[in-house]
Amino acid sequence: MSNLYEPPMKWSDHEDIAMALYEKFGDEFGESKIYRIRFTDLLEWVLTLPNFEGTREQATEGHLEQIQAKWVYEWRDNQ
């Protein structure tokens, strides 16, 4: 659940974004499924996270790749 006192997330906050995605989707996405997510879908999901203040135009493939990798690490840590 989002805390109003948390600082806003930006595209470079890969680990925070990954943790928020894991909190949102839980074990619905395992490692292989996370790596198969289309970047267009991932982009939309990130933009709808509470406390996220980045824009679609600021997104880069590098940011999305890092978020995807950190999400896998977050999923593994919770198994």
Side-chain angles (χ1 to χ4, degrees):
M1 198 152 183
S2 176
N3 181 337
L4 296 175
Y5 300 105
E6 289 177 11
M9 289 184 286
K10 306 282 188 211
W11 282 110
S12 57
D13 298 322
H14 305 136
E15 196 163 334
D16 292 335
I17 293 169
M19 290 187 336
L21 288 168
Y22 181 75
E23 285 177 17
K24 180 175 182 169
F25 292 106
D27 290 331
E28 182 180 337
F29 288 94
E31 180 172 350
S32 62
K33 202 170 173 185
I34 292 169
Y35 279 127
R36 287 196 313 268
I37 294 169
R38 285 190 209 95
F39 279 172
T40 51
D41 293 337
L42 183 57
L43 174 67
E44 293 305 319
W45 296 341
V46 172
L47 289 170
T48 62
L49 289 173
N51 288 352
F52 185 77
E53 289 190 352
T55 65
R56 181 182 311 277
E57 294 73 28
Q58 294 167 328
T60 66
E61 191 172 324
H63 286 311
L64 295 169
E65 288 170 348
Q66 285 294 314
I67 291 164
Q68 207 172 32
K70 299 286 187 195
W71 187 358
V72 166
Y73 296 140
E74 186 64 23
W75 177 81
R76 284 181 190 160
D77 286 348
N78 284 280
Q79 297 310 300

